[in-house]
């Protein structure tokens, strides 16, 4: 698998939009086209236009027209053009593409009782997926059994437990927390490099917090779930190749590709999993879907159940967080505080003195002091990675200070300044978010002190976040992934320390290709892009290429033998 840091920075929908065969994938899977449309709408609601890596290049396609929409009126006119404008101006291919978008949206907007219309969203290559198809089942695909609230609660509890276990293992630098009881989850964590690999000699591995592991713990819930989902996809491909090598039968493995798994993820995301459970496909019935669900169950996102003596599955709501990064997650946070922790002996009376909005938040000051309102051991462990503990007040207020030495130690662990700033913004105290919203609304860059003295901290501006009318100044508008609400002087100092520490950088698990011509570089890049591993190219310059070792061994090395 490519670098975990690149996985953290690229959401699922942008992975699809950067694939060279994206238009073909959307034509084969209407659910994927629906996700891209929802992505475009979300970007327009945020006051910006969707990013298209192929815009203005030879790979520009009809999907570029959808991504290039700059307003809702323009989008509506393309979806439902006036009759007089439908003529020779639009090409046949473009007209067909927008007709396909319109049919997909009408299927998504249809009534829940109109199962035949919604069945279109379950199709991949014209075949419905994740449906009951036995002799005593309905003939309409996409239908399922009603979901009992207890099953949904158990599925959500399972996913929360798995995520907390993965976070604990990543911070511990080992899989000891599993106690040898979950070898599948251990394999996923090792594949994602969240924990060190176990040597083949059988010797117990040394505990070591990996850069990918600490990065995993410092990002949002959505990004963490996407890392686990991406590792599950890689594990599907890995086990498929292993079964081929052992049996020699390539009939099933040839149909399991990463683009197909992306399409199946899109179908899962549009199913009504909040009200229904669906059949767990048999291996002979749908080989790729069977493997995907089995691997998602290994990370806690799929909860297998039995209904009328047949295997079914419940999808945890956390799965949607992995697909939609900018979706709100109030259910996840509430469930995490009131169910998971209560099940582990957490006493709610201990946090009665802390307001609910203050729990697990951090105040960042210009004097490099951090005030953490929390009793979460994982959050405190993350702060220990780049800051020094100075004082603990009332058992729940922890005072830290970021120093040059503590940040240099964090740099040696693979932590970057951007990761620290995003983490502090993600965990920012509500008062910091409100203050940032007020400054953005007023257009101020500095705020005078109450005593009329020197101006207080300057806040960093969002790199590409624009406000929508009626939402500015709202704390729910702040997106910590793209917006830093940390004092500007704090940001500048951390980045200066980072430049000092990065005069010499050592990278591990990479392969250097020397004496590579420009044509060969383009061929290798195109080959990796077609395989969905374009992020594996770490660095390129005249005559040299640096590629992640795992991707090189899996895709390029066999071609050189």
């Amino acid at each position: 698998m490519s670098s975990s840091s690149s996985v953290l920075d690229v959401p699922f929908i942008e992975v699809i939009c950067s694939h060279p065969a994206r238009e073909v994938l959307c034509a084969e899977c209407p659910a994927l086209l629906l996700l891209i449309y929802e992505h475009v709408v979300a970007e327009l609601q945020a006051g910006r236009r969707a990013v298209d890596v192929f815009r203005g290049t030879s790979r520009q396609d009809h999907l570029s027209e959808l991504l290039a929409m700059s307003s809702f009126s323009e989008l509506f006119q393309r979806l439902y053009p006036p009759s007089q404008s439908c003529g020779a101006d639009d090409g046949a291919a473009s007209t067909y593409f927008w007709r396909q978008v319109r049919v997909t949206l009408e299927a998504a907007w249809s009534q829940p009782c109109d199962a035949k219309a919604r069945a279109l969203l379950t199709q991949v290559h014209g075949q419905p997926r994740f449906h009951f198809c036995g002799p005593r089942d309905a003939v309409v695909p996409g239908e399922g059994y009603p979901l009992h609230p207890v099953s949904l609660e158990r599925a959500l509890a399972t996913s929360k437990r798995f995520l907390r276990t993965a976070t604990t293992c990543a911070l511990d630098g080992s899989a000891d927390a599993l106690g040898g009881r979950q070898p599948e989850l251990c394999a996923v964590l090792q594949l994602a490099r969240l924990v060190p690999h176990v040597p083949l000699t059988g010797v117990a591995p040394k505990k070591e917090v990996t850069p990918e592991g600490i990065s995993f713990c410092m990002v949002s819930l959505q990004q963490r779930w996407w890392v686990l989902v991406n590792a599950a996809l890689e594990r599907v491909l890995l086990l498929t190749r292993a079964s081929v090598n052992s049996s020699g039968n390539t009939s099933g493995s040839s149909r399991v590709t990463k683009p197909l798994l992306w399409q199946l993820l899109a179908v899962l995301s549009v199913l009504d999993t909040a009200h229904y459970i669906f059949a767990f496909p048999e291996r002979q019935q749908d080989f790729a879907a069977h493997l995907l669900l089995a691997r998602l169950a290994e990370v806690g996102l799929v909860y297998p159940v039995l209904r009328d003596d047949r295997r079914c599955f419940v999808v945890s709501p956390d799965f949607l967080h992995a697909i939609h990064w900018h979706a709100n997650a109030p259910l996840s946070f509430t469930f995490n505080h009131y169910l998971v922790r209560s099940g582990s002996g957490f006493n709610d009376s201990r946090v009665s003195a802390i307001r609910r909005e203050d729990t697990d938040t951090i105040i960042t000051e210009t004097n490099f002091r951090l005030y953490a309102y929390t009793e979460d051991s994982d959050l405190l462990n993350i702060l220990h990675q780049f800051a020094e503990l100075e004082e603990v007040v009332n058992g729940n207020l922890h005072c830290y200070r970021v120093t040059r030495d503590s940040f240099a130690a964090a740099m040696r662990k693979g932590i970057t300044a951007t990761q620290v700033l995003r983490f502090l913004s993600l965990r920012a105290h509500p008062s910091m978010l409100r203050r940032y919203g007020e400054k953005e609304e007023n257009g101020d860059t500095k705020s005078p002190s109450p005593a009329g003295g020197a101006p207080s901290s300057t806040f960093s501006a969002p790199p590409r976040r624009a406000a929508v009318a009626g939402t500015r100044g709202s704390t729910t508008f702040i997106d910590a992934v793209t917006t830093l609400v940390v004092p500007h002087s704090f940001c500048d100092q951390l980045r200066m320390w980072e430049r000092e520490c990065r005069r010499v950088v050592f990278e591990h698990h990479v392969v250097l290709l020397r004496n590579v011509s420009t044509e060969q570089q383009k061929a290798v890049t195109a080959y990796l892009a077609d395989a969905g591993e374009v992020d594996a190219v770490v660095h390129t310059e005249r005559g040299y290429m640096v590629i992640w070792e795992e991707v090189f061994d899996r895709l390029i090395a066999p071609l050189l033998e």
Side-chain angles (χ1 to χ4, degrees):
M1 187 174 62
S2 58
S3 170
S4 181
S5 60
S6 62
V7 173
L8 289 172
D9 294 333
V10 183
F12 171 70
I13 197 64
E14 292 187 10
V15 171
I16 301 301
C17 291
S18 61
H19 194 271
R22 60 185 187 180
E23 188 172 359
V24 177
L25 297 180
C26 292
E28 297 171 347
C29 179
L32 205 56
L33 183 58
L34 176 63
L35 289 183
I36 295 180
Y37 171 83
E38 293 176 345
H39 170 67
V40 172
V41 171
E43 293 293 286
L44 292 178
Q45 288 178 337
R48 57 179 182 258
R49 190 169 63 177
V51 177
D52 182 12
V53 296
F54 296 151
R55 182 178 296 131
T57 67
S58 59
R59 289 187 172 180
Q60 183 170 315
D61 51 17
H62 296 102
L63 201 62
S64 299
E65 301 176 14
L66 176 59
L67 296 173
M69 295 293 105
S70 58
S71 64
F72 289 109
S73 59
E74 181 183 1
L75 179 59
F76 183 79
Q77 289 178 358
R78 293 307 304 266
L79 285 173
Y80 301 98
S83 57
Q84 60 270 19
S85 65
C86 298
D89 293 337
D90 293 336
S94 178
T95 303
Y96 175 78
F97 170 77
W98 285 102
R99 185 185 301 115
Q100 183 185 18
V101 176
R102 187 164 56 251
V103 171
T104 300
L105 294 179
E106 291 173 353
W109 296 337
S110 61
Q111 296 294 330
C113 58
D114 191 358
K116 291 185 178 180
R118 297 189 62 86
L120 174 68
L121 301 178
T122 68
Q123 295 182 3
V124 178
H125 296 282
Q127 298 295 326
R129 304 298 181 105
F130 306 115
H131 67 287
F132 293 96
C133 58
R136 54 193 173 93
D137 299 321
V139 296
V140 179
E143 293 184 341
Y145 284 127
L147 172 62
H148 195 279
V150 174
S151 298
L152 181 62
E153 180 179 318
R154 290 175 178 173
L156 194 53
T158 300
S159 63
K160 291 302 171 193
R161 186 176 69 252
F162 273 63
L163 181 63
R164 193 169 185 85
T165 301
T167 304
T168 301
C169 291
L171 289 174
D172 186 54
S174 69
D176 294 347
L178 299 177
R181 294 185 299 271
Q182 296 174 283
E184 297 84 4
L185 180 59
C186 180
V188 171
L189 299 180
Q190 292 177 355
L191 187 60
R193 298 179 186 152
L194 302 184
V195 297
H197 283 270
V198 178
L200 299 177
T201 57
V203 180
K206 179 182 178 181
K207 287 189 177 183
E208 179 184 1
V209 179
T210 64
E212 293 83 3
I214 191 62
S215 299
F216 172 82
C217 300
M218 296 177 67
V219 296
S220 64
L221 286 175
Q222 291 91 331
Q223 291 172 283
R224 275 184 275 174
W225 278 122
W226 171 237
V227 170
L228 295 180
V229 169
N230 193 73
L233 300 185
E234 295 291 342
R235 184 161 159 79
V236 170
L237 300 177
L238 185 64
L239 294 180
T240 302
R241 288 192 298 269
S243 63
V244 171
N245 295 334
S246 60
S247 63
N249 183 11
T250 61
S251 58
S253 63
S254 61
R255 300 191 301 268
V256 181
T257 61
K258 183 172 286 189
L260 175 59
L261 297 178
W262 292 339
Q263 293 172 330
L264 295 178
L265 287 179
V267 173
L268 280 177
S269 68
V270 300
L271 290 178
D272 190 5
T273 54
H275 299 92
Y276 297 96
I277 61 176
F278 297 87
F280 201 108
E282 298 295 336
R283 192 181 185 92
Q284 298 79 9
Q285 174 190 355
D286 194 336
F287 185 67
H290 175 85
L291 292 180
L292 176 62
L293 291 178
R295 303 292 80 78
L296 291 178
E298 293 176 355
V299 296
L301 290 176
V302 167
Y303 184 72
V305 295
L306 284 177
R307 181 67 181 268
D308 293 344
D309 297 329
R310 65 188 312 170
R311 296 181 63 193
C312 304
F313 68 92
V314 181
V315 179
S316 171
D318 281 319
F319 171 76
L320 296 179
H321 298 331
I323 304 301
H324 305 282
W325 275 21
H326 297 289
N328 293 327
L331 180 61
S332 298
F333 284 115
T334 303
F335 201 84
N336 184 49
H337 285 302
Y338 293 100
L339 184 59
V340 175
R341 293 188 178 183
S342 62
S344 59
F346 189 80
N347 188 0
D348 289 338
S349 62
R350 295 170 58 188
V351 294
S352 58
I354 303 180
R355 298 196 312 272
R356 178 178 173 180
E357 65 174 1
D358 288 345
T359 306
D360 297 339
T361 60
I362 302 172
I363 292 180
T364 305
E365 291 189 340
T366 55
N367 58 2
F368 305 102
R369 297 198 73 180
L370 309 176
Y371 299 93
Y373 295 83
T374 184
E375 292 182 346
D376 187 351
S377 58
D378 290 339
L379 178 58
L380 297 176
N381 198 346
I382 295 175
L383 289 173
H384 279 300
Q385 303 296 325
F386 60 87
E388 299 175 355
L389 180 63
E390 290 188 337
E391 187 180 2
V392 179
V393 181
N394 294 332
N396 52 35
L397 175 59
H398 298 75
C399 304
Y400 286 82
R401 185 182 295 274
V402 180
T403 64
R404 188 181 186 280
D405 293 338
S406 65
F407 182 72
M411 288 284 296
R412 290 190 290 270
K413 300 174 185 176
I415 301 176
T416 65
T418 300
Q419 290 173 347
V420 173
L421 297 176
R422 286 183 177 177
F423 171 74
L424 295 177
S425 298
L426 184 68
R427 295 287 187 170
H429 191 274
S431 62
M432 295 182 62
L433 298 178
R434 285 192 292 268
R435 188 177 183 185
Y436 176 86
E438 293 172 358
K439 288 180 176 295
E440 187 185 39
E441 184 176 7
N442 297 330
D444 297 335
T445 57
K446 293 185 178 181
S447 175
S449 62
S456 63
S457 61
T458 303
F459 291 83
S460 61
R464 61 184 184 98
R465 186 73 163 174
V468 181
T471 61
R472 298 185 70 173
S474 172
T475 58
T476 58
F477 168 74
I478 304 299
D479 180 9
V481 176
T482 58
T483 304
L484 302 179
V485 298
V486 180
H488 192 59
S489 59
F490 187 94
C491 299
D492 291 342
Q493 187 63 58
L494 251 62
R495 286 168 176 151
M496 185 183 70
W497 287 341
E498 184 179 46
R499 286 193 296 269
E500 293 179 357
C501 297
R502 282 200 164 182
R503 293 172 182 171
V504 179
V505 179
F506 296 94
E507 285 284 359
H508 301 279
H509 307 293
V510 294
V511 175
L512 173 64
L513 304 181
R514 295 184 293 182
N515 302 324
V516 183
S517 64
T518 304
E519 291 75 14
Q520 291 174 332
Q521 289 179 350
K522 293 180 180 179
V524 171
T525 303
Y527 174 68
L528 294 177
D530 293 338
E533 296 287 357
V534 67
D535 292 330
V537 180
V538 179
H539 178 72
T540 302
E541 63 179 66
R542 182 187 295 269
Y544 297 94
M545 289 188 71
V546 180
I547 301 176
W548 287 107
E549 181 181 14
E550 191 275 334
V551 177
F552 175 84
D553 294 339
R554 175 162 51 89
L555 297 178
I556 299 180
L559 302 178
L560 303 178
E561 296 178 354

